[in-house]
Amino acid sequence: MATVYDNLVGQDHASEILRAAVAASRTGVETQEMTHAWLFTGPPGSGRSSAAVAFAQALVCGYQGCGTCNECQSAANGSHPDVEIIRTEGLSIKVEEIRELLTRVAWAPSMGGWRVVVMEDADRLTESAANAMLKAIEEPGTRTVWLLCAPTLHDVLPTIRSRCRHIQLHTPSDEAVTQVLINRDGVTPAMAHFAARVSQGHIGRAKYLAFNEGARSNRTTIMNLPLQLNSLAAAFKAAQTLVDLATSAANAASEVRDEKEIASLQEAYGKGATGRGMATGAAKAVKELEKEQKSRATRMVRDSIDGALLDIATFYRDVMMVQAGSSDAIINTDMVDAINAYAAKHPHHSTVSKISAIMEARTNLAHNAAPLLTCEALMCRLAKA
Ligand SMILES: [Zn+2]
């Protein structure tokens, strides 16, 4: 029978802990298994937020996480009165947002069980926001359960970390991702194998690639960039191509969402309302929303460039594998000839330094370096023999 734990791909250990916690939570008293602060960590794509949401579902479900009842479904889509899913759109979560959240969750759970807050990007809490939240976590006898997600333990303040039970997620194997794509999403086996392999255990990305031809063709363009770096002019051109592709992919995704949000906001204020106060209120809210959307768009472009750089890194990783004599371990099997040719022409040590150049560029981007400049500098380094 299907359960919410099916969404935790390749995370058997974590599932076991969470199941035990849910079973213990039925007694209504805090036990060693069931604490009210949890921290989910794991590399991108390991399904941190899926795991936290599955746990939230199981905590409010009458059947410990069936995945199909009203409670389970409304918890997952954000409409359950006792489940808050905080997805950060901006680059940080500010103290005002946490204060507002705390007043919302101060009430006892409406259904009598637990009130659950899922925070997908606890690593984006500002220090003052984290401190405000800490007070709430420390409050005894509360019926609120905090499920925080972050890439690693070091991404959250030690004071928060020490109060949370830790769930470590792992990158699922290609095989686990392939099976989910086939069984859950109905992807053909050949496509599932391809998408799982090139996404390296990132389920969301694998699914997106499997279903999106445009994304696959963008990927092909990106993966061919290393082969074109035979002059400085070509390096600059490659940087521009990368940034353009990543930007348009990110914008296409956010435009649809932006329009929907503005429409529903206007709806909420009563579109065409003639009352003066109403109109000013709506205009102000729309302006605020647009500001938020802009900051989200910036973040999505950065994430998109980062994804492209990770893809390019797999090319050099494959070259390194071939140079080390492990041709059977390559990820991009669709480019095997190009990889072999490149490996034969370039020295091993330069491959290693190219991979570190990519990782450096990613770090710089994460610290808000200008995307195009960063990519130009990187492509110039990759163009060197
Ligand atoms: Zn259920």
Side-chain angles (χ1 to χ4, degrees):
M1 215 178 66
T3 70
V4 292
Y5 299 102
D6 295 347
N7 290 325
L8 277 76
V9 181
Q11 315 291 348
D12 295 346
H13 183 59
S15 302
E16 226 170 86
I17 298 173
L18 297 179
R19 276 178 205 271
V22 170
S25 81
R26 301 286 129 171
T27 61
V29 282
E30 196 164 324
T31 60
Q32 207 183 351
E33 279 82 26
M34 184 55 207
T35 60
H36 61 245
W38 297 72
L39 178 57
F40 293 78
T41 63
S46 58
R48 298 186 291 258
S49 56
S50 308
V53 170
F55 188 32
Q57 287 176 293
L59 284 171
V60 296
C61 168
Y63 315 94
Q64 309 200 9
C66 67
T68 47
C69 72
N70 249 337
E71 310 293 312
C72 278
Q73 290 188 353
S74 59
N77 68 28
S79 63
H80 194 287
D82 293 333
V83 178
E84 284 252 3
I85 301 178
I86 313 292
R87 296 201 163 97
T88 323
E89 309 296 10
L91 296 167
S92 63
I93 306 176
K94 303 195 172 61
V95 65
E96 300 81 48
E97 293 169 59
I98 292 300
R99 288 205 186 109
E100 203 191 302
L101 170 71
L102 292 178
T103 49
R104 274 205 307 274
V105 301
W107 307 95
S110 62
M111 310 281 192
W114 299 93
R115 184 178 278 286
V116 189
V117 179
V118 175
M119 188 169 289
E120 291 196 345
D121 305 279
D123 51 314
R124 291 175 204 261
L125 286 163
T126 62
E127 195 169 338
S128 50
N131 285 326
M133 204 180 66
L134 186 62
K135 285 207 192 85
I137 292 183
E138 283 175 326
E139 197 125 338
T142 162
R143 301 290 290 168
T144 301
V145 182
W146 296 82
L147 309 181
L148 313 179
C149 308
T152 72
L153 280 176
H154 303 285
D155 294 312
V156 291
L157 287 183
T159 42
I160 294 222
R161 196 196 305 157
S162 64
R163 278 160 188 84
C164 292
R165 187 145 179 222
H166 180 213
I167 296 283
Q168 173 70 50
L169 302 172
H170 304 279
T171 301
S173 66
D174 288 359
E175 194 43 43
V177 175
T178 305
Q179 286 313 318
V180 169
L181 290 180
I182 296 173
N183 299 333
R184 184 190 69 186
D185 303 324
V187 176
T188 61
M191 178 63 83
H193 277 290
F194 163 78
R197 196 181 60 243
V198 302
S199 307
Q200 293 186 80
H202 194 307
I203 302 161
R205 194 167 147 63
K207 185 176 172 186
Y208 186 68
L209 266 184
F211 283 99
N212 195 318
E213 207 193 321
R216 289 198 297 275
S217 111
N218 278 357
R219 181 185 168 276
T220 308
T221 308
I222 299 279
M223 292 307 292
N224 279 300
L225 292 179
L227 305 173
Q228 294 156 14
L229 300 174
N230 38 28
S231 68
L232 274 187
F236 281 98
K237 197 172 154 227
Q240 187 72 55
T241 305
L242 189 152
V243 172
D244 287 349
L245 275 183
T247 308
S248 64
N251 287 349
S254 54
E255 258 164 39
V256 184
R257 214 157 122 197
D258 289 0
E259 272 167 30
K260 264 196 212 149
E261 284 172 352
I262 297 222
S264 70
L265 184 71
Q266 280 170 336
E267 185 96 36
Y269 274 92
K271 200 171 187 176
T274 44
R276 220 189 170 135
M278 205 61 168
T280 343
K284 199 175 157 224
V286 168
K287 225 178 187 165
E288 265 168 36
L289 177 62
E290 281 172 347
K291 211 172 114 193
E292 256 174 56
Q293 289 176 336
K294 214 175 150 206
S295 120
R296 177 176 67 203
T298 309
R299 180 180 155 193
M300 283 176 73
V301 169
R302 277 175 200 281
D303 288 351
S304 180
I305 293 176
D306 189 60
L309 293 181
L310 271 177
D311 278 343
I312 294 178
T314 67
F315 171 84
Y316 293 105
R317 174 215 171 265
D318 284 350
V319 168
M320 196 165 73
M321 285 296 163
V322 171
Q323 287 171 334
S326 315
S327 307
D328 51 338
I330 69 173
I331 294 167
N332 300 290
T333 44
D334 51 331
M335 306 179 68
V336 66
D337 293 340
I339 290 164
N340 282 331
Y342 192 98
K345 253 202 297 186
H346 297 80
H348 177 259
H349 66 86
S350 84
T351 315
V352 176
S353 65
K354 280 167 189 169
I355 293 175
S356 29
I358 295 174
M359 296 310 153
E360 247 172 63
R362 294 183 58 217
T363 311
N364 292 342
L365 279 175
H367 290 107
N368 290 339
L372 184 59
L373 266 177
T374 309
C375 290
E376 283 172 349
L378 171 65
M379 290 300 169
C380 289
R381 283 179 72 178
L382 298 181
K384 285 185 190 154

